[in-house]
Amino acid sequence: MEQTWVLVANSSEARLFEMDKYARKLSLLDAIDHPESRKKDADLSSDRSGHFQGEHSGASHGAFNEATSPKTYEHERFAMELADILDEGRNDNRYGRLVVVSSPRFRGMLNKHLNNQVSKMVWNHVDKDYTQVHERDLLSKLTPHLKK
């Protein structure tokens, strides 16, 4: 049986585990933190939105809005960071199957950044945020999702 990695993540933190071949034990490989994702938009932005004024007096004026909120941008950056870690593990042949455990919204962001080779290794998705579940309890919560 090939090695299985389990990624438990949300938009600001992740834990990467290796599951033994009998699915009886998870070993923590890495804990990745992205504190920028927990900051408020105002703390992530350097200043307020730019303003514009029309050429003639009385012409249009207003403020430019950011295309993506700073918080969403940080979530995307973290998803890219995790995708790179997973790709590096794949390149090093450290796993053959991947289980992704995260909320559906963050999983969508992560999926967008996974390359085709890593995407093909995803064995199962669990649409739960188990980042706060203690390591000793995690396997029992995941066991029903690991039987395929």
Side-chain angles (χ1 to χ4, degrees):
M1 180 181 246
E2 51 196 8
Q3 194 60 48
T4 301
W5 274 12
V6 178
L7 177 69
V8 179
N10 64 24
S11 59
S12 65
E13 62 184 307
R15 291 181 291 166
L16 185 61
F17 297 93
E18 189 171 74
M19 187 168 46
D20 77 0
K21 65 182 182 177
Y22 302 108
R24 292 188 196 136
K25 182 180 174 201
L26 292 174
S27 302
L28 183 66
L29 296 174
D30 200 2
I32 307 110
D33 193 38
H34 191 75
E36 292 86 356
S37 290
R38 288 189 287 276
K39 291 182 179 179
K40 294 179 181 178
D41 279 342
D43 295 335
L44 292 169
S45 254
S46 60
D47 57 2
R48 63 186 190 134
S49 299
H51 287 76
F52 65 89
Q53 178 93 23
E55 289 181 26
H56 306 291
S57 83
S60 63
H61 63 281
F64 293 107
N65 290 327
E66 297 180 43
T68 304
S69 78
K71 196 166 192 79
T72 300
Y73 174 77
E74 289 300 331
H75 295 174
E76 290 282 349
R77 278 189 52 213
F78 190 48
M80 284 191 286
E81 180 183 345
L82 294 176
D84 288 344
I85 290 169
L86 295 173
D87 190 43
E88 187 177 308
R90 180 198 61 83
N91 284 334
D92 295 341
N93 292 317
R94 295 192 54 207
Y95 68 98
R97 294 190 309 186
L98 175 64
V99 176
V100 178
V101 182
S102 70
S103 66
R105 184 165 192 255
F106 187 69
R107 183 168 62 95
M109 287 182 180
L110 182 61
N111 285 345
K112 186 167 57 172
H113 297 290
L114 294 178
N115 64 34
N116 288 338
Q117 293 88 354
V118 174
S119 292
K120 289 176 186 173
M121 299 175 100
V122 175
W123 181 52
N124 202 353
H125 294 282
V126 179
D127 291 333
K128 301 282 186 182
D129 183 353
Y130 285 157
T131 54
Q132 300 306 309
V133 174
H134 195 279
E135 193 173 328
R136 71 176 173 266
D137 302 323
L138 188 57
L139 189 58
S140 64
K141 290 200 174 282
L142 293 177
T143 299
H145 304 284
L146 299 175
K147 298 180 184 199
K148 264 192 162 181

